[in-house]
Amino acid sequence: NVRKLLFSQDHKALLDGDPDNIVADKDDEKILNSTPRILLHRMAAGLQSGITNQSRSWFKLQTTDTRIAEYAAVRKWLDEATETVSGMMNRSNVYPSLDQTYMYLGEFGTSCGLCLPDDETDVHIDICDTGSYWIAEDRRGRVNTLLRCIDLTLDQLRDEFGEGWMPTTLAERLNNQGANEERVKVLNYIGPNPPDMIKDVAWNRPFVSIYYIEGNYSEDNDGILAIRSFSYNPIIAPRWSVFNSVYGIGCGHIGLADAKMLQQMESDKLRVIELEVDPAMAAPAGMKNEQINTG
């Protein structure tokens, strides 16, 4: 069993490398000047400290009816509720997720995530990587539909949905072949609950979430892993500026040309320095073994 765990075929990914990470590493090799990245992190840190500073009280719960808020008991309840929500956010991953949100906003103009209930911290923010999701909005311009693609290991698949909902072939690979780290693609749809279409969801739950696994698993619930519902819209999708599209435009779009030019100029500068330090020299074959004065 120990040998099966240590020499499982799934650990080849640890040796060979994740294909996604390999592509990202190749793209990183093109970056010769990190100034754009530094500025992006600086902007995200500035938004975090200026808007949602964890070290100070940056929000306060209030009532829509200002007359009710004049009562002392109501003010006390609102203050206690504000402290409860603040403590919940401190315990959870809200603030690290906000930092990611600001970075995506500045770079791509669109950020997306889900606000989900959690057994340990009451709330958990699941941020979607750019390029792994599709969003749609209602007639008022509010994002109410999300389709995302998630990479999960078989261990994560079992922990999230239970072994009973896993396709039989994947459960066998997990239990009999030790394929704990084998990854599968899971599609997740979140959107308005269509009336009288999904029997497993109550009519008074306005949003539905369906998890579906890619592959030929028609014998196992048609590939459906879970059907869940929400009493609120769990989609968080802020956008920097929106122009005739559901996706936003951010500062990264404006600075993209300058960032490319900076990398090209850095490459040219390094080539000039290299030629100055170690200049290329050519001479006739007859001058072989002859001393050359390069001063």
Side-chain angles (χ1 to χ4, degrees):
N1 291 336
V2 174
R3 286 184 59 83
K4 182 172 70 172
L5 175 64
L6 293 178
F7 300 101
S8 168
Q9 60 178 354
D10 303 300
H11 290 79
K12 280 176 64 39
L14 183 63
L15 302 176
D16 299 338
D18 189 337
D20 293 335
N21 291 337
I22 293 175
V23 173
D25 291 340
K26 289 183 178 179
D27 290 337
D28 283 344
E29 293 176 357
K30 302 176 184 178
I31 299 177
L32 304 176
N33 191 313
S34 59
T35 300
R37 283 183 168 178
I38 295 174
L39 295 177
L40 177 63
H41 282 268
R42 188 178 299 170
M43 186 207 71
L47 291 174
Q48 179 80 289
S49 61
I51 302 175
T52 55
N53 196 327
Q54 188 175 1
S55 62
R56 60 180 175 85
S57 178
W58 56 272
F59 71 95
K60 184 177 181 180
L61 300 180
Q62 295 180 339
T63 60
T64 55
D65 190 346
T66 57
R67 294 173 298 178
I68 299 178
E70 295 177 359
Y71 294 98
V74 175
R75 291 200 303 269
K76 180 181 178 181
W77 185 90
L78 289 173
D79 291 340
E80 292 177 351
T82 301
E83 292 180 2
T84 301
V85 173
S86 179
M88 178 187 63
M89 294 173 66
N90 288 328
R91 294 192 305 271
S92 67
N93 70 328
V94 168
Y95 287 104
S97 299
L98 284 173
D99 186 62
Q100 288 183 273
T101 299
Y102 295 140
M103 287 187 62
Y104 282 134
L105 273 178
E107 187 173 5
F108 302 107
T110 303
S111 182
C112 188
L114 290 174
C115 182
L116 304 172
D118 187 80
D119 296 335
E120 296 181 1
T121 59
D122 296 325
V123 65
H124 179 80
I125 306 298
D126 195 353
I127 298 295
C128 304
D129 288 333
T130 300
S132 67
Y133 64 88
W134 172 88
I135 56 176
E137 59 186 8
D138 60 15
R139 63 185 180 89
R140 294 184 176 88
R142 298 174 300 193
V143 176
N144 66 343
T145 304
L146 167 66
L147 179 63
R148 61 175 181 153
C149 182
I150 321 168
D151 276 337
L152 295 178
T153 65
L154 295 188
D155 258 346
Q156 294 171 334
L157 201 68
R158 178 179 56 188
D159 293 342
E160 179 67 26
F161 305 106
E163 191 168 325
W165 281 88
M166 291 180 62
T168 305
T169 54
L170 295 182
E172 290 177 353
R173 288 209 291 269
L174 176 64
N175 296 323
N176 301 330
Q177 301 178 19
N180 302 67
E181 297 303 316
E182 179 181 337
R183 289 188 171 272
V184 294
K185 290 189 178 297
V186 177
L187 296 176
N188 180 209
Y189 166 83
I190 302 101
N193 180 18
D196 302 327
M197 184 175 292
I198 304 176
K199 297 181 180 179
D200 296 334
V201 179
W203 64 269
N204 59 348
R205 306 284 283 183
F207 284 86
V208 64
S209 175
I210 302 174
Y211 289 87
Y212 173 84
I213 188 170
E214 285 188 334
N216 185 19
Y217 302 111
S218 57
E219 74 282 2
D220 300 286
N221 303 319
D222 293 329
I224 295 177
L225 296 170
I227 298 177
R228 299 169 180 173
S229 60
F230 297 93
S231 60
Y232 61 94
N233 184 356
I235 304 171
I236 304 172
R239 293 157 292 172
W240 192 276
S241 298
V242 180
F243 301 102
N244 298 322
S245 173
V246 68
Y247 298 97
I249 296 176
C251 301
H253 294 82
I254 301 174
L256 180 59
D258 293 331
K260 288 183 176 180
M261 183 176 64
L262 176 64
Q263 304 308 320
Q264 184 62 49
M265 292 176 61
E266 195 73 18
S267 176
D268 295 341
K269 182 174 70 175
L270 292 174
R271 186 166 63 251
V272 170
I273 295 174
E274 183 180 2
L275 290 175
E276 184 176 351
V277 173
D278 186 16
M281 294 182 294
M287 296 184 62
K288 187 176 182 180
N289 298 325
E290 296 288 338
Q291 292 184 358
I292 300 176
N293 184 7
T294 60

